[in-house]
């Protein structure tokens, strides 16, 4: 799996334009773009409430994510951003439509996929040390104890945490806890990383530090990343492509390509005129009221 | 006689919460002051005892003076009968509690994790747990006689419900985000039980265990008195019936001390099971 990625850069651009074209291809074809890491085809999701009312959250959402691409999903609050991410992660079967990971249909969480949740205080187990938390996903891989320990300390070093394996998560600050959650994802050695509002619960300074950390880790580990966020600056700053969702029931409203290059810098990138323009484009798309026909 | 212990525990609790509200200290009573309070309380209780015994309010010979009590205790404690009585009570207590744990924890975790089973069993459990063990004594004696077996069955009946309920609550306390984390990383079900379900439920189970342990001891002694099954309760009843008030009191105080020990041990277990819990963090480290 990893070998195929080294051959990607040349085909990556093609894959991305294909992905763009496939945006509204719909679910009926049943064919899978072989170049995509993740494909969402006509995914919809409805819930039946306690009173028996059927509520549609997702209405036929389709998009592709190319290998090593960074996609940000934004949308008005109340849009089914998290629902969509849970469908991508294989945590929730869609009512209709399909999700593919590396060309195979997703029915359970894929093994080459890692997740980072917003709520680090709940996604890290308070009764386990930092090291035990980081090595928890490695148990299914049946690796030797020493290998698990090594992967854990490497991952903790990669996220800028030192020798804190013996601490408990609640002894650390919020930013450090989210770093541990990221280290756990890294140690799992995934091809793709899904993040649900990963920096929404930390302070502004920590937030920009973590944004840069994720960008550095993406380069280092050549991961595909999909992040759900409500922060438009963050979406544009980090991603190669921003998918703007509409309000409930959710569909893809607009896809914005972010051609800001591979190197991003909090000060330089954010003051580029292109950045400001992209930011305004995305913001306008997010704010457009439901039912507004102007494309 | 358990009065001093209750007082001491209240002090402890006050001491634990006070520094949280007032970090500047000064709210926490010093160890010396606490010791003085405990000693004072014991002295008061003993004085009340002596006055009650000598005043004759409770009739002749029914309440021994401290002197008589002490000499009887010195006589009784070294005898084999005394230790056999304790062993009889504590062995059936331990067996009954173990059986309850083995039944209630797996069943409780299963019921708690299935909403269908929960709906099905809740009325039954609520009904059963309100039945006092004691009223089942005649039935149990009829079936098994005044044996340890009968005692154990009634102990299980008394202690299985608090444990079962706590196990149900414990499993329901599992955070959805934690469950999704385990799902997302494909953690096998054996590891989920070990690293998610049992740790989440452990504070609840520890509380249930403490409640069940105390309930079991009370039921064991009560049954021994009523049904003349061997043990401390039997000795209390039989000595009292034979007019040996002082001897009866020795067993009575023994039962109280056993209760204190059981409470102490299981409170410590509970605290240990909760080392990671938000309500305990920082108080130990």
């Amino acid at each position: 799996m990893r070998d195929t990625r080294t051959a990607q850069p040349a085909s990556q651009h093609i894959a991305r334009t294909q992905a763009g074209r496939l945006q509204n291809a719909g679910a009926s074809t049943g064919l899978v773009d072989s170049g995509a890491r993740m494909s969402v085809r006509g995914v919809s999701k409805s819930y039946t409430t306690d009173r028996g009312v059927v509520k549609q959250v997702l209405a036929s959402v389709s998009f592709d994510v190319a290998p090593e691409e960074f996609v940000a999903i934004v949308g008005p609050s109340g849009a089914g951003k998290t629902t969509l991410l849970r469908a991508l992660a294989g945590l929730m079967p869609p009512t209709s439509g399909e999700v593919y990971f590396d060309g195979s249909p997703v029915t359970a969480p894929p093994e080459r996929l890692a997740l980072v949740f917003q709520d680090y205080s709940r996604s890290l187990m308070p009764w386990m040390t930092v090291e035990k938390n980081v090595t928890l996903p490695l148990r299914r891989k049946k690796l030797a104890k020493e290998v698990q320990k090594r992967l854990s300390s490497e991952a903790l070093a990669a996220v800028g945490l030192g020798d804190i394996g013996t601490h408990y998560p609640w002894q650390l600050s919020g930013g450090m806890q989210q770093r541990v959650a990221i280290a756990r994802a890294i140690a799992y050695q995934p091809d793709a990383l899904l993040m649900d509002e990963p920096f929404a619960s930390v302070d502004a300074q920590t937030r920009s530090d973590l944004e840069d950390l994720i960008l550095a880790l993406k380069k280092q580990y050549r991961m595909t990343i999909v992040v759900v966020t409500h922060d438009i600056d963050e979406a544009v700053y980090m991603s190669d492509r921003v998918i703007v969702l509409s309000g409930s029931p959710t569909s893809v409203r607009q896809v914005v390509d972010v051609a800001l290059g591979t190197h991003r810098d909090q000060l330089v990138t954010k003051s580029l005129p292109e950045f400001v323009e992209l930011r305004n484009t995305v913001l306008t798309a997010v704010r457009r009221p439901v039912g507004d026909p102007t494309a | 006689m358990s009065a001093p212990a209750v007082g001491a525990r209240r002090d402890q609790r006050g001491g634990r919460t006070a520094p949280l509200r007032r970090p500047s200290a000064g709210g926490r009573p010093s160890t010396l002051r606490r010791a003085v309070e405990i000693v004072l309380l014991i002295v008061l209780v003993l004085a009340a005892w002596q006055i009650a015994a000598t005043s004759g309010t409770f009739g002749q010979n029914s309440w021994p003076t401290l002197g008589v009590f002490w000499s009887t205790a010195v006589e009784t404690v070294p005898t084999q009968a005394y230790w056999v009585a304790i062993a009889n009570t504590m062995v059936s207590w331990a067996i009954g509690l173990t059986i309850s744990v083995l039944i209630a924890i797996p069943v409780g975790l299963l019921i708690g994790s299935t909403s269908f089973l929960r709906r099905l069993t809740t009325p039954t459990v609520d009904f059963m747990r309100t039945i006092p063990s004691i009223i089942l004594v005649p039935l149990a004696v009829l079936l098994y006689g005044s044996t340890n077996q009968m005692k154990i069955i009634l102990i299980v009946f008394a202690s299985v419900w608090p444990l079962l309920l706590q196990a149900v609550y414990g499993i329901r306390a599992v955070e959805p985000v934690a469950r999704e984390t385990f799902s997302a990383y494909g953690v096998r079900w054996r590891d989920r039980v070990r690293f998610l379900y049992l740790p989440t439920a452990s504070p609840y189970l520890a509380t249930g265990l403490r409640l069940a342990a105390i309930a079991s001891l009370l039921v064991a002694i009560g049954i021994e008195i009523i049904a003349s099954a061997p043990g401390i309760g039997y000795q209390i009843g039989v000595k009292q019936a034979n007019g040996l008030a002082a001897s009866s009191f020795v067993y009575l105080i023994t039962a109280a001390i056993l209760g204190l020990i059981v409470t102490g041990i299981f409170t410590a277990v509970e605290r240990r099971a909760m080392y990671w819990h938000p309500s305990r963090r920082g108080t130990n480290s």
Side-chain angles (χ1 to χ4, degrees), chain A:
Chain A
M1 210 79 75
R2 298 216 148 222
D3 299 345
T4 58
R5 279 200 302 197
T6 53
Q8 280 304 331
S11 62
Q12 196 181 327
H13 179 70
I14 303 163
R16 198 173 301 162
T17 44
Q18 268 181 341
R21 251 192 293 116
L22 277 163
Q23 225 41 255
N24 299 309
S28 54
T29 57
L31 291 169
V32 186
D33 178 16
S34 55
R37 175 120 288 150
M38 284 175 270
S39 304
V40 175
R41 291 297 154 77
V43 162
S44 71
K45 180 72 187 176
S46 312
Y47 293 104
T48 311
T49 61
D50 292 337
R51 283 189 230 148
V53 182
V54 178
K55 192 177 184 305
Q56 193 173 24
V57 186
L58 300 178
S60 191
V61 177
S62 300
F63 63 87
D64 281 10
V65 181
E68 291 185 50
E69 190 181 19
F70 196 131
V71 169
I73 298 173
V74 299
S77 58
K81 294 185 296 248
T82 298
T83 311
L84 181 58
L85 198 81
R86 292 176 70 227
L88 261 176
L91 289 170
M92 179 210 75
T95 309
S96 65
E98 293 90 33
V99 176
Y100 298 90
F101 186 85
D102 278 336
S104 22
V106 171
T107 49
E111 207 175 330
R112 307 293 306 168
L113 180 72
L115 236 94
V116 174
F117 294 91
Q118 173 187 346
D119 195 350
Y120 46 80
S121 68
R122 289 191 170 85
S123 87
L124 297 174
M125 307 304 134
W127 47 83
M128 290 159 87
T129 60
V130 165
E131 186 184 276
K132 282 261 190 305
N133 267 292
V134 172
T135 55
L136 178 73
L138 304 180
R139 296 182 66 85
R140 84 192 285 198
K141 301 195 175 189
K142 299 197 168 82
L143 300 168
K145 275 266 181 310
E146 306 83 70
V147 181
Q148 293 192 17
K149 267 191 185 304
R150 184 174 54 77
L151 284 170
S152 159
S153 52
E154 278 174 13
L156 286 170
V159 299
L161 292 174
D163 193 16
I164 57 147
T166 55
H167 287 69
Y168 285 95
W170 36 270
Q171 294 172 320
L172 310 174
S173 69
M176 285 168 88
Q177 290 185 50
Q178 195 58 304
R179 279 173 198 261
V180 173
I182 294 165
R184 178 173 61 192
I186 298 293
Y188 193 55
Q189 296 179 304
D191 290 332
L193 182 60
L194 298 186
M195 299 194 286
D196 184 10
E197 299 276 8
F199 316 130
S201 303
V202 297
D203 62 82
Q205 179 56 46
T206 310
R207 188 176 188 127
S208 53
D209 289 349
L210 290 176
E211 287 168 9
D212 289 334
L213 171 70
I214 289 295
L215 288 174
L217 290 172
K218 182 187 175 292
K219 269 187 199 159
Q220 190 182 341
Y221 293 92
R222 309 174 66 95
M223 287 181 293
T224 309
I225 298 183
V226 176
V227 60
V228 159
T229 178
H230 64 265
D231 186 320
I232 285 153
D233 280 39
E234 178 173 284
V236 174
Y237 174 66
M238 295 181 81
S239 70
D240 301 319
R241 201 148 56 94
V242 179
I243 294 175
V244 183
L245 299 178
S246 66
S248 186
T250 299
S251 57
V252 176
R253 177 177 278 169
Q254 195 173 337
V255 178
V256 180
D257 281 301
V258 180
L260 291 174
T262 50
H263 181 77
R264 313 276 169 106
D265 181 279
Q266 293 282 356
L267 284 177
V268 178
T269 308
K270 285 187 175 174
S271 48
L272 289 173
E274 295 96 310
F275 177 88
V276 176
E277 197 179 311
L278 283 164
R279 186 189 165 280
N280 291 345
T281 308
V282 174
L283 189 60
T284 311
V286 170
R287 282 193 178 165
R288 196 194 306 153
V290 185
D292 188 340
T294 50

Side-chain angles (χ1 to χ4, degrees), chain B residues 28 70 83 85 142 177 229 240 260 274 279:
Chain B
R28 193 198 195 101
W70 181 250
W83 293 101
L142 202 65
V177 172
Q240 183 258 332
L260 275 183
M274 293 177 75
S279 68

Side-chain angles (χ1 to χ4, degrees), chain B residues 53-64 243 245:
Chain B
T54 51
S55 69
T57 322
F58 300 94
Q60 289 293 311
N61 253 350
S62 63
W63 195 322

